[in-house]
Amino acid sequence: MGSFMQALERAKANPEIKIFVLNIANCVGGESGISATISKIICKTAYRHQFDELPGQDEVIHYDIDANFDGTFDERDDVSYPFNFAVVAASPAYSAANYLANMAKDNGVCLLGETTGGGANSPQLTPESEGMSFLLSGRYKLMDKNGKHVDFGVEPDYVLTEESDGQKDYSSYFDLEAISRYVNEFYSD
């Protein structure tokens, strides 16, 4: 969180910076509390919409986030930054990263890249005897604001990944001019 907050403050100090991009393309998961805090800062809200498979019930959990890190939950937690935010994600973005991509898409923050890897509920890395491994999620299905489950990934607003002869090309993920163009187009509507 410290690096993210330092980057925000440094960018805020420069009036020339209008776009702030968070790249989670290779984030294979992590701490959901950090994703919720980032969501509160870039989306102005933090909640979890999920479907519990056992009782068959839809749930929405709202989080109080101490977004200014002063140890108190109050109105000063409505921190604001003068940016058009964007999130770059890719298929490795799993679990907490999928949650953050979903929050961005649900709350009007530009999402670029490719469909995320999914998950977001108690992931478990499961190795096979042949040496391969796969990721599993728990009994909850992460839902978007329309009630569609996104456990298999969140589709971006703009696709950055190019494919040729079965090989993915991720060079556009570092093309700041193209990313700026997409973000400006997204927020011009």
Side-chain angles (χ1 to χ4, degrees):
M1 250 345 274
S3 297
F4 175 68
M5 296 307 296
Q6 287 174 352
L8 279 173
E9 291 303 320
R10 286 183 69 191
K12 186 177 179 181
N14 184 343
E16 297 294 316
I17 297 176
K18 307 290 183 211
I19 298 172
F20 191 97
V21 180
L22 180 63
N23 189 326
I24 60 169
N26 283 317
C27 180
V28 295
E31 172 55 48
S32 60
I34 291 174
S35 289
T37 302
I38 293 171
S39 173
K40 173 69 175 178
I41 292 168
I42 70 172
C43 302
K44 306 286 187 220
T45 188
Y47 58 85
R48 179 183 197 84
H49 184 190
Q50 62 191 24
F51 182 79
D52 187 337
E53 292 285 344
L54 290 181
Q57 129 182 39
D58 210 18
E59 302 171 348
V60 178
I61 302 163
H62 293 273
Y63 298 109
D64 285 331
I65 304 291
D66 180 21
N68 66 350
F69 304 102
D70 66 356
T72 305
F73 296 103
D74 57 22
E75 67 281 348
R76 292 189 315 242
D77 291 320
D78 292 328
V79 296
S80 182
Y81 291 91
F83 309 120
N84 285 330
F85 285 102
V87 174
V88 174
S91 58
Y94 183 78
S95 192
N98 189 55
Y99 163 80
L100 184 57
N102 184 53
M103 287 299 295
K105 180 112 183 204
D106 268 3
N107 291 285
V109 171
C110 185
L111 181 62
L112 306 112
E114 67 183 358
T115 302
T116 60
N121 295 290
S122 307
Q124 174 184 343
L125 181 63
T126 305
E128 295 180 322
S129 59
E130 293 87 15
M132 298 294 290
S133 63
F134 56 94
L135 293 167
L136 296 173
S137 286
R139 72 180 201 219
Y140 298 101
K141 288 182 180 177
L142 184 65
M143 310 291 278
D144 69 10
K145 67 181 178 183
N146 299 314
K148 174 186 165 201
H149 88 78
V150 293
D151 251 16
F152 296 115
V154 179
E155 294 179 17
D157 298 305
Y158 297 95
V159 175
L160 295 178
T161 310
E162 296 175 16
E163 197 163 330
S164 176
D165 296 326
Q167 296 293 317
K168 289 185 177 183
D169 178 3
Y170 291 98
S171 59
S172 295
Y173 284 55
F174 307 97
D175 183 344
L176 298 182
E177 188 175 301
I179 290 171
S180 294
R181 188 174 57 252
Y182 287 132
V183 172
N184 287 328
E185 179 181 310
F186 180 85
Y187 287 107
S188 70
D189 293 337

